[in-house]
Amino acid sequence: MNTQILPGATLGMLGGGQLGRMFTTAAQTMGYKVVVLDPDPQSPAGIVADSHICAPYDDETALSEMAQLCAAITTEFENIPAQTLAFLESKTTVHPSSKALAATQNRNVEKQFIASQGIATAPFLPIQRREDIAEAETAIQFPAILKVATFGYDGKGQVPCNNLDDVYQAFDALDKKECVLEQRINLAREVSVVLARSETGSITNFPVAENVHVNGILHTTTVPSGISSDLSQKAIQMANKIAKGLGYVGTMAVEFFVSEEGAIIANEIAPRPHNSGHYTLDACHTSQFEQQVRMLCGLPSGDCDLESPVVMVNILGDVWRNSEPHWDKLLAAPNIKLHLYGKQAARVGRKMGHFNVLSADTETAMQQAEQTFTALQAE
């Protein structure tokens, strides 16, 4: 049986963004100390942590210091080098593993892994070099979308393509980096499953969430989702199979497409807490970040049941315009919970915070969410 890491111990977080910040807050609330390693001296997680090691992710001296301080270490995003986790694994407990992380860092590797589990993906073609593009005529149908294989997020590094010529142009525009060409599906909905898997292999699932993206960035998450209980169960089973196949330990998410024909198709794996799981901070007995702490420390899962219908709305830097948003209008509502991430500068497309609207039903919550989002925006 694995030894539990109990409050009073020190935990490590690789990455200083908002996900690291919310993990840090959850861990500190539970009585742990947190060391954050991030190269940004003003990182949102670093400024609230007990200790901030300001260093690059491949600095072995800094990593050795972190390993010496921490009983266990986790990460907040998938673009931490897998070799960094491998280095730390020889010195302390690390979840998720370097192997699990490596399987999710490259879209081609990720899709091939998902397919190896017998789970459907959109038809896709790996493109390593320009000569590979010709295969698209037989491998997929247009329209399609070309995505960089690594370091793409929130719609960055993605180009819609209606024909073969578009793919050549897009590949050149993306600096001829390794890409994946994905066939577009007749999309009815987008949903996600956030889960927590322990070292012993037990899995606890949060309710399936329904997501709406604007310009490639998540805008709203609604729970309960609008899909049937049968489809929800299928999505959960697929996500759990992926987690088991990865040997994953921690909190993770899988995003799915639901086609107009009723098929459910795996899109992406997030080996960490996920933006679409932020509703859990206020609408569930246990948040996704407390679950991350529990899984890292070998503790039993918390209760993931939904306490209230909820709509989560992302707050991007766009909302600031020329002045501070109208926080007074949001905070006047007793059923809305505001979470800001402590970022120093608001920029267009940058995630600055979110708010959760709790209500008796999702229709009422969405109506209030839309009204609040409009009222929030500065002149």
Side-chain angles (χ1 to χ4, degrees):
M1 185 174 178
N2 295 305
T3 304
Q4 293 180 337
I5 299 168
L6 297 174
T10 299
L11 306 178
M13 168 53 68
L14 291 166
Q18 64 265 22
L19 299 178
R21 182 186 178 99
M22 287 182 271
F23 167 88
T24 299
T25 300
Q28 290 171 332
T29 299
M30 295 170 70
Y32 295 92
K33 295 181 176 65
V34 180
V35 174
V36 167
L37 189 148
D38 188 280
D40 178 5
Q42 295 297 318
S43 70
I47 60 177
V48 299
D50 295 273
S51 177
H52 178 197
I53 300 173
C54 190
Y57 299 122
D58 59 356
D59 184 329
E60 293 192 354
T61 301
L63 294 171
S64 295
E65 178 189 352
M66 189 184 201
Q68 197 165 21
L69 291 169
C70 298
I73 296 172
T74 189
T75 177
E76 68 144 11
F77 69 115
E78 53 267 42
N79 291 328
I80 299 287
Q83 56 265 38
T84 292
L85 269 67
F87 178 83
L88 290 168
E89 282 167 343
S90 66
K91 301 175 182 298
T92 190
T93 298
V94 179
H95 297 306
S97 68
S98 57
K99 183 180 177 182
L101 194 72
T104 67
Q105 290 181 321
N106 179 296
R107 291 185 193 273
N108 288 314
V109 174
E110 179 182 75
K111 288 181 181 301
Q112 287 158 359
F113 166 75
I114 293 171
S116 77
Q117 300 299 300
I119 294 170
T121 68
F124 68 96
L125 174 69
I127 297 178
Q128 310 275 357
R129 54 202 181 101
R130 216 169 185 271
E131 289 77 8
D132 297 334
I133 295 172
E135 293 180 43
E137 285 190 309
T138 53
I140 66 160
Q141 296 176 2
F142 288 97
I145 184 163
L146 187 71
K147 301 178 180 180
V148 290
T150 57
F151 299 107
Y153 65 98
D154 287 345
K156 296 176 175 67
Q158 302 186 14
V159 183
C161 299
N162 292 316
N163 52 52
L164 212 56
D165 286 343
D166 285 353
V167 182
Y168 283 112
Q169 290 178 26
F171 186 67
D172 292 344
L174 295 171
D175 298 324
K176 298 182 174 65
K177 293 177 181 174
E178 180 187 352
C179 289
V180 59
L181 184 65
E182 293 180 18
Q183 182 175 312
R184 282 191 177 276
I185 65 164
N186 297 320
L187 185 63
R189 301 174 187 269
E190 295 181 70
V191 299
S192 56
V193 175
V194 177
L195 62 87
R197 186 173 185 270
S198 72
E199 284 185 285
T200 60
S202 64
I203 298 176
T204 309
N205 300 97
F206 288 100
V208 176
E210 184 169 342
N211 305 314
V212 174
H213 292 79
V214 176
N215 298 324
I217 303 175
L218 182 65
H219 178 52
T220 64
T221 295
T222 301
V223 184
S225 72
I227 66 173
S228 69
S229 58
D230 285 350
L231 269 184
S232 290
Q233 283 306 308
K234 190 172 182 181
I236 287 170
Q237 289 166 4
M238 292 163 76
N240 290 357
K241 189 172 184 181
I242 288 169
K244 183 179 179 181
L246 288 171
Y248 193 86
V249 176
T251 297
M252 66 169 276
V254 183
E255 294 179 272
F256 295 95
F257 295 141
V258 180
S259 73
E260 290 180 354
E261 296 77 24
I264 189 155
I265 297 165
N267 177 33
E268 289 183 0
I269 304 167
R272 52 175 170 77
H274 193 251
N275 196 169
S276 69
H278 290 348
Y279 74 89
T280 65
L281 285 161
D282 301 305
C284 292
H285 289 283
T286 306
S287 77
Q288 63 172 343
F289 300 101
E290 181 179 333
Q291 286 289 72
Q292 188 180 20
V293 176
R294 285 174 170 271
M295 296 304 101
L296 181 64
C297 294
L299 301 174
S301 170
D303 182 345
C304 294
D305 287 350
L306 192 70
E307 292 187 298
S308 167
V310 59
V311 171
M312 187 281 300
V313 183
N314 265 337
I315 304 172
L316 304 183
D318 314 46
V319 170
W320 267 248
R321 298 185 183 174
N322 297 315
S323 62
E324 280 288 312
H326 298 297
W327 302 123
D328 55 328
K329 295 180 180 178
L330 182 150
L331 294 170
N335 62 320
I336 297 182
K337 301 292 186 179
L338 175 64
H339 301 264
L340 293 177
Y341 303 150
K343 295 183 178 180
Q344 299 300 302
R347 297 193 297 269
V348 172
R350 191 183 198 195
K351 293 174 182 172
M352 301 296 293
H354 70 271
F355 63 89
N356 288 323
V357 182
L358 308 176
S359 192
D361 57 78
T362 55
E363 291 79 9
T364 304
M366 180 59 79
Q367 184 178 26
Q368 188 178 8
E370 290 172 347
Q371 291 170 347
T372 302
F373 183 70
T374 299
L376 191 63
Q377 298 179 67
E379 301 301 326

